[in-house]
Amino acid sequence: MAEVMVVTSGKGGVGKTTSTAALGAALAQTGQTVAVVDFDVGLRNLDLIMGAERRVVYDLINVANGEARLHQALIRDKRIETLYLLPASQTRDKDALTEEGVKRVIGELRERFDWIICDSPAGIERGATLAMKYADLAVVIANPEVSSVRDSDRIIGLLDAKTEKAESGQRMEKHLLLTRYDAARAGRGEMLSVEDVLEILSIPLLGIIPESEEVLRASNVGSPVTLNNAASAPARAYMDAARRLCGEDVAMSIPMHRKGFLDRLFGRRAA
Amino acid sequence: MNIFSMFSRRTSAPVARERLQILLAHERGGTTCNADLIALLQKEVLAAIAKHIDVDPDKVQIKMERRDEVSLLEIDVEIPTPSPKGGKPQDKTAPEIRTTSRVASQRAGRAA
């Protein structure tokens, strides 16, 4: 049965698009069919992170408005054959999306895919509420930082009030993905710890993604971090999170970059 | 804990955590359905009182405070004392009727 999952955060720049691409690729690698959908109309970026920016012809709004068929707009990933991208429009604004249009597109996607991952825009306006509206579960992305945690709390409130699931009296399933985590700084008391954030937001933890140079390296070349360097710490953390989404019981750990003798000697350069 | 931490200043994460806890306790109380509920209560309480007493709508204040176990609903109504000579309705020494009622906690929705 298809699962519609929204990746949301309220605050911008915390890793929604990176996480959408990484989780999408990790789930698709298990053989399941996955569609990643960019809801950031006017500021699309998922195409760029997926390395498909030159292959966009039709977009979400074209399909929602009936100007194109779904199969015309879907872009198949060149690395994993079960992974598809539905890009956002770059030239329209968020008001071009309608509830009915989005509902119809999500309904069509449900028939074709095991996972539909909606990459929400930042903020709490139309684009963000439409991205979460028809979701079955939500991944809330937060950084261990005060403004991000506050905005995540706000988004959790919206997930419990403004989604179709919540409106019909059902409980919205929510998971926390803590990104850009630096275990050493948290250990020194310079950064909110995993426990701090969990206590404040009180939703179950899906994974902890360590702060890493690999994330920028992957986005530079347009490849989800889980594909670009599968052995890297963030990739392993995303793959663990994807396995948890599939119901596997995976012990929670914070994958770290293993420092060799030279790394220690010369700092972080030798990564 | 090591020897260097004795010389370093107080760590900042506990401050962040405390600030967030205080802030969110307030924000969770004042968002979405609660804001609507308070507006509705204000209107209905005012209508009920207005049937019997002439009150200034601005002199009715309703607050809701959320705590761990219970929430506090506070209703402040300022009622002008009728002056003995029937002269000045806007008496400065008006007594205040203060009603405080406790309502059940609404935290249940946030438990994961």
Side-chain angles (χ1 to χ4, degrees):
Chain A
M1 209 190 83
E3 292 269 18
V4 178
M5 176 167 90
V6 61
V7 177
T8 186
S9 70
K11 192 175 183 299
V14 296
K16 285 182 295 299
T17 304
T18 299
S19 300
T20 301
L23 289 175
L27 287 168
Q29 269 181 319
T30 67
Q32 302 179 85
T33 50
V34 179
V36 289
V37 186
D38 193 348
F39 271 81
D40 205 346
V41 178
L43 287 168
R44 75 168 174 223
N45 276 320
L46 187 55
D47 54 334
L48 206 51
I49 298 301
M50 300 282 292
E53 69 276 12
R54 295 171 66 181
R55 300 169 63 205
V56 178
V57 182
Y58 294 109
D59 55 55
L60 173 65
I61 289 186
N62 293 140
V63 183
N65 293 352
E67 297 150 11
R69 306 285 297 277
L70 180 62
H71 69 86
Q72 293 176 294
L74 282 170
I75 302 167
R76 185 188 198 152
D77 190 84
K78 287 197 165 165
R79 298 148 296 209
I80 307 175
E81 59 177 21
T82 54
L83 180 60
Y84 287 79
L85 162 72
L86 182 56
S89 170
Q90 185 70 338
T91 51
R92 313 279 280 271
D93 63 52
K94 290 181 174 65
D95 296 330
L97 274 180
T98 62
E99 259 184 36
E100 304 76 57
V102 171
K103 187 175 184 171
R104 195 171 48 76
V105 176
I106 297 281
E108 274 184 57
L109 287 166
R110 273 182 193 277
E111 288 168 21
R112 275 194 62 177
F113 293 95
D114 297 320
W115 289 92
I116 295 115
I117 309 179
C118 305
D119 182 21
S120 171
I124 52 170
E125 281 84 35
R126 191 180 181 80
T129 50
L130 278 177
M132 68 170 70
K133 183 89 191 182
Y134 303 103
D136 302 313
L137 72 156
V139 172
V140 177
I141 312 283
N143 291 166
E145 181 271 326
V146 285
S147 59
S148 171
V149 175
R150 177 202 213 171
D151 292 358
S152 293
D153 189 78
R154 186 80 200 278
I155 279 292
I156 291 168
L158 287 182
L159 286 165
D160 285 333
K162 302 276 180 182
T163 52
E164 199 180 50
K165 225 175 167 184
E167 282 166 355
S168 66
Q170 295 175 71
R171 204 183 67 86
M172 183 76 187
E173 187 183 332
K174 300 171 292 285
H175 301 274
L176 177 71
L177 192 62
L178 195 59
T179 57
R180 307 198 68 167
Y181 191 69
D182 186 330
R185 295 197 74 185
R188 289 196 299 269
E190 292 173 17
M191 182 184 264
L192 287 169
S193 68
V194 180
E195 294 75 26
D196 288 340
V197 180
L198 282 176
E199 193 194 321
I200 291 165
L201 295 178
S202 56
I203 59 171
L205 183 64
L206 179 68
I208 305 157
I209 313 298
E211 168 83 70
S212 168
E213 295 173 2
E214 281 301 325
V215 173
L216 179 60
R217 199 167 286 147
S219 94
N220 283 343
V221 297
S223 173
V225 69
T226 37
L227 296 184
N228 196 51
N229 181 358
S232 67
R236 283 183 284 141
Y238 276 119
M239 286 188 277
D240 281 355
R243 286 167 63 197
R244 289 184 196 108
L245 281 174
C246 297
E248 268 186 66
D249 195 8
V250 185
M252 190 67 68
S253 65
I254 310 164
M256 299 225 243
H257 170 62
R258 287 193 192 86
K259 281 194 174 182
F261 173 71
L262 286 178
D263 283 350
R264 287 173 202 277
L265 212 60
F266 298 111
R268 308 170 68 192
R269 281 288 296 140
Chain B
M1 190 59 101
N2 60 33
I3 189 115
F4 297 104
S5 61
M6 287 166 62
F7 300 101
S8 63
R9 59 200 167 83
R10 200 188 154 203
T11 55
S12 56
V15 183
R17 180 194 148 110
E18 204 179 304
R19 287 175 62 215
L20 268 172
Q21 280 171 332
I22 294 168
L23 175 75
L24 293 179
H26 278 263
E27 287 190 344
R28 281 173 191 162
T31 48
T32 55
C33 60
N34 240 338
D36 296 344
L37 176 65
I38 288 175
L40 181 73
L41 281 175
Q42 176 136 14
K43 205 175 131 197
E44 291 189 358
V45 166
L46 191 64
I49 296 172
K51 270 195 253 172
H52 307 286
I53 319 167
D54 201 15
V55 283
D56 184 348
D58 295 336
K59 298 281 166 69
V60 180
Q61 284 200 353
I62 298 184
K63 276 193 285 185
M64 191 183 274
E65 197 180 314
R66 274 197 191 191
R67 292 176 192 167
D68 282 349
E69 307 275 307
V70 288
S71 294
L72 207 65
L73 178 67
E74 216 174 281
I75 304 174
D76 279 4
V77 186
E78 225 177 87
I79 298 170
T81 327
S83 93
K85 289 164 191 166
K88 296 180 221 163
Q90 297 285 326
D91 199 326
K92 285 280 178 199
T93 58
E96 204 177 64
I97 293 182
R98 201 179 154 108
T99 319
T100 302
S101 26
R102 292 186 143 203
V103 295
S105 165
Q106 302 190 346
R107 270 182 68 87
R110 290 301 316 277

